[in-house]
Amino acid sequence: MSSVDVELVKCACPDCVCVVSVAKAVSKDGKAFCCDECAEGHKDHAGCHHAGCECHG
Ligand SMILES: [Zn+2]
Ligand SMILES: [Zn+2]
Ligand SMILES: [Zn+2]
């Protein structure tokens, strides 16, 4: 039996495919994001730096 207490959530950015642990997520407006870029809504059109993720606002 393994106890997994790391809860995973998908980034709240609609285009982002990343999944982050709640503990490491960037929370903003009650939503969990994988990174600052996503949390800021990609206002600078900077992409999420994760492999395979194409979100950039
Ligand atoms: Zn991402
Ligand atoms: Zn994201
Ligand atoms: Zn994003």
Side-chain angles (χ1 to χ4, degrees):
M1 222 194 316
S2 63
S3 68
V4 178
D5 56 7
V6 178
E7 192 177 351
L8 297 177
V9 290
K10 185 197 164 291
C11 176
C13 175
D15 294 328
C16 187
V17 296
C18 296
V19 173
V20 287
S21 67
V22 172
K24 293 178 68 176
V26 178
S27 61
K28 181 159 184 156
D29 298 331
K31 297 174 184 172
F33 298 88
C34 70
C35 59
D36 290 329
E37 281 75 18
C38 287
E40 297 294 329
H42 301 285
K43 63 183 179 186
D44 296 326
H45 296 281
C48 165
H49 304 295
H50 304 115
C53 185
E54 296 183 355
C55 73
H56 45 69

